[in-house]
Amino acid sequence: MEGLKLAAAKLVVYLHPSKAKNVADAIHGEISSLLFKFNETFDGVLLAYDTDFPSNLAKILPGVHPYFGVRLETKLLLFHPKPDMVLEGEVVRLSEQSIHVVILGFSAAAIMAEDIREEFKFKAKPGKEVFRSTIHKKHRIKIGTIIRFVVKSFDEEILHVSGSLLPAHTGCVKWLERHLEEWSQSDSTIKKRRANEQTGEISEPDKAANDGKTFAVNTESHNKKSKRRKSEN
């Protein structure tokens, strides 16, 4: 899924002297307070971090409040979806006018009716709302479905995504992946058949007769043998 990125950062965390006895816990507490919030410095929403710092990098800062700074290096996992990126999420609510999705368990997304391609038609029964494709009958979107959609915009303040199901490569992830595999196999078969035709190879379909072996026909050798027999006669 797009929208996720790893970043390496060098930070300085400022701590109150009262936390000097347990610097590691204090630092983890400061960084943890930034989780699941958009941070302009990191240019994304902090999802996870891995910090490594030596204890001898603490430095007392002069001033009225004698805070001390600790330099450290950390690896960050960030979430920052941008327009045209492809995201995946679980459908939590459906209506004729919209599809509502949760991404990674914390960010909400909404796909409005004008951003759902026309092949999907909404049908509702008590507790069984569904968007069903009129082209592929088994392509359905219902509550609990993991869908793939394209980002239109991202509200960094409330972590809300506006999405679209207009592109052909969007929809139910399970259906898309299954049919992508079928299309790939079909395309591979067609390419192999064309290659065999170009090289003059004939593949017999009767497995009982030849166990699926491929026979190469050498027309030049066959013609020479025919001429030799005629000359002998």
Side-chain angles (χ1 to χ4, degrees):
M1 184 178 74
E2 297 178 343
L4 293 172
K5 62 180 180 180
L6 287 171
K10 294 182 179 180
L11 306 177
V12 179
V13 179
Y14 300 105
L15 303 174
H16 190 273
S18 63
K19 298 179 180 180
K21 290 184 178 180
N22 200 333
V23 173
D25 286 349
I27 289 176
H28 286 304
E30 291 293 328
I31 300 178
S32 295
S33 67
L34 304 176
L35 288 170
F36 303 109
K37 299 175 183 177
F38 186 85
N39 189 293
E40 291 184 358
T41 302
F42 300 151
D43 190 32
V45 180
L46 181 61
L47 301 183
Y49 66 92
D50 182 16
T51 301
D52 181 26
F53 60 94
S55 59
N56 61 351
L57 287 183
K59 181 180 180 181
I60 301 298
L61 302 178
V64 178
H65 301 286
Y67 278 70
F68 64 97
V70 181
R71 296 182 181 275
L72 55 93
E73 295 182 358
T74 182
K75 296 178 182 178
L76 309 174
L77 176 62
L78 303 169
F79 176 67
H80 193 184
K82 297 180 180 180
D84 298 326
M85 283 186 174
V86 177
L87 300 183
E88 295 178 4
E90 182 179 357
V91 176
V92 293
R93 185 157 57 91
L94 288 175
S95 71
E96 189 172 4
Q97 299 300 318
S98 61
I99 299 175
H100 296 268
V101 180
V102 171
I103 309 164
L104 299 174
F106 77 95
S107 180
I111 303 168
M112 308 311 292
E114 61 268 22
D115 296 312
I116 302 173
R117 60 183 182 273
E118 292 184 357
E119 72 171 272
F120 287 108
K121 300 300 180 184
F122 181 76
K123 294 186 178 181
K125 294 181 180 180
K128 293 184 179 180
E129 297 84 0
V130 63
F131 275 95
R132 179 179 297 173
S133 170
T134 56
I135 300 175
H136 306 284
K137 300 296 183 181
K138 293 184 178 181
H139 192 178
R140 304 174 185 176
I141 297 174
K142 56 186 179 180
I143 292 177
T145 299
I146 304 299
I147 66 170
R148 185 174 295 155
F149 61 96
V150 172
V151 176
K152 289 183 64 181
S153 63
F154 177 56
D155 189 320
E156 299 170 351
E157 186 174 349
I158 61 175
L159 307 184
H160 186 273
V161 177
S162 175
S164 170
L165 284 174
L166 293 177
H169 62 280
T170 60
C172 172
V173 170
K174 187 176 180 179
W175 188 92
L176 290 170
E177 291 183 346
R178 181 169 63 246
H179 285 76
L180 178 62
E181 182 178 352
E182 291 176 0
W183 294 332
S184 298
Q185 291 176 352
S186 176
D187 184 58
S188 177
T189 302
I190 292 172
K191 289 181 179 179
K192 185 177 181 180
R193 186 180 303 157
R194 289 175 179 173
N196 290 342
E197 290 174 355
Q198 292 175 358
T199 57
E201 293 183 345
I202 301 174
S203 180
E204 296 291 340
D206 189 355
K207 292 185 178 180
N210 54 50
D211 296 328
K213 295 180 180 177
T214 300
F215 298 89
V217 179
N218 191 329
T219 56
E220 183 180 356
S221 175
H222 178 75
N223 290 337
K224 286 182 180 179
K225 288 182 180 179
S226 298
K227 290 179 180 179
R228 187 180 302 168
R229 287 176 182 174
K230 288 181 181 180
S231 62
E232 291 175 356
N233 294 331

